[in-house]
Amino acid sequence: MSSTEDLDYPQIILQYNNGFLVSKVMFTACELGVFDLLLESGDPLSLDVIAARLGTSTTGMERLLDACVGLKLLAVELTQEGALYRNTEISNIYLTKSSPKSQYHIMMYYSNTVYLCWHYLTDAVREGRNQYERAFGISSKDPFGAMYRSEEEMLKFLAGQNSVWGICGRDVLAAFDLSPFTRIYDLGGGGGALARECVSLYPNCTVTIYDLPKVVQVAKERFVPPEEPRIAFHEGDFFKDSIPEADLYILSKILHDWDDDKCGQLLAKVHKACRPGGGVLLVESLLKEDRSGPVETQLYSMNMLVQTEGKERTPAEYSTLLAAAGFREVQVKRTGKIYDAILGRK
Ligand SMILES: C[S@@+](CC[C@H](N)C(=O)[O-])C[C@H]1O[C@@H](n2cnc3c(N)ncnc32)[C@H](O)[C@@H]1O
């Protein structure tokens, strides 16, 4: 296609204009349980059956199913009895609740919480700060206080955060050989999905999930099986309370929540606590040094703007933070997936 034709038919503009419609169709089909129903059924189902089982109108469901077919999230087959819908392989793996690689929970968090903050993106860019006050009428001074404004919101957030480790937990943990580190603290370890991947990949280690007291309670009760002896818990605030000694500290998606000052304070504290010869593993989505991509990371950085005090950073920016805190021999590994790994040594 020539550049003139490109200008006559701005496919890219059309696609971006419709981007949020695409997200909402996928989120809605997940939320209503379309993919779960089709997985459980095993057989392709008609519109009438799907609408009846999910308790929706046929008018609305017909359009939702057709849009999902257009987006290749469902397949349709015309039979003598009419159209029959079934999941695609990708939907079975990523959009059903029961799959080990399910992205259902993060999608529900995006659809019902993050989406409301993005409504105020223009204000976020004008003001350079998160939008909890406008979106939810709550103070934006303490982002996690705002995120955990109810037990239900906290559960949705933690389940959402856990989802990603089913698809790229192994990659970030195998980016470096972590087997020499046996006493590991996962600072801000949340629902514990990464800790579970860690003890499965490195069976000789123990991982302590260090997080705010109410998060630790929920992680214990809802997310980490009690029969897992290699996972322990520590309730604390990593800015205010002490951090115990360990061989390795994992900070997964922690620094991206905070400005450079807070990151510096936290890393200095981690360096002080770290056993000599130990290290710190940062797990983050890395921008290219010239900030020209990856586009997912650029969008996540906007997400950090509307929701947190932080941003996504380049490897050089993380290396500078680590060096300022006293860490040395900083190594960066891009995994080729959404999240990357950076190792620093004491
Ligand atoms: C973006 S989530 C990342 C969770 C997890 N590390 C992961 O990668 O899935 C940030 C985590 O930091 C925790 N956190 C925030 N502020 C904290 C603080 N002051 N002390 C301890 N944990 C904190 C949150 O509760 C949350 O679990």
Side-chain angles (χ1 to χ4, degrees), residues 273-332:
C274 186
R275 181 183 62 74
V280 62
L281 181 79
L282 305 183
V283 175
E284 296 286 357
S285 187
L286 294 177
L287 284 169
K288 289 185 191 170
E289 288 301 352
D290 66 1
R291 324 183 77 78
S292 65
V295 68
E296 288 77 15
T297 313
Q298 292 163 331
L299 295 175
Y300 290 169
S301 206
M302 303 237 62
N303 204 23
M304 292 300 111
L305 175 68
V306 296
Q307 287 198 89
T308 70
E309 293 180 3
K311 59 181 183 179
E312 306 300 350
R313 295 179 173 86
T314 63
E317 287 174 316
Y318 283 116
S319 301
T320 303
L321 288 169
L322 285 169
F327 289 99
R328 57 188 174 79
E329 293 172 37
V330 174
Q331 297 173 72
V332 178

Side-chain angles (χ1 to χ4, degrees), residues 117 120-134 138-141 302 304-309:
C117 289
Y120 300 100
L121 186 60
T122 313
D123 300 287
V125 170
R126 277 202 189 105
E127 296 165 1
R129 64 187 171 96
N130 72 54
Q131 292 299 309
Y132 288 111
E133 272 168 23
R134 281 198 177 80
I138 41 178
S139 165
S140 56
K141 291 214 173 77
M302 303 237 62
M304 292 300 111
L305 175 68
V306 296
Q307 287 198 89
T308 70
E309 293 180 3

Side-chain angles (χ1 to χ4, degrees), residues 237-253:
D237 178 323
F238 50 45
F239 289 121
K240 296 186 185 144
D241 300 324
S242 64
I243 298 176
E245 186 182 85
D247 302 326
L248 180 74
Y249 298 89
I250 298 176
L251 276 78
S252 166
K253 299 204 282 169

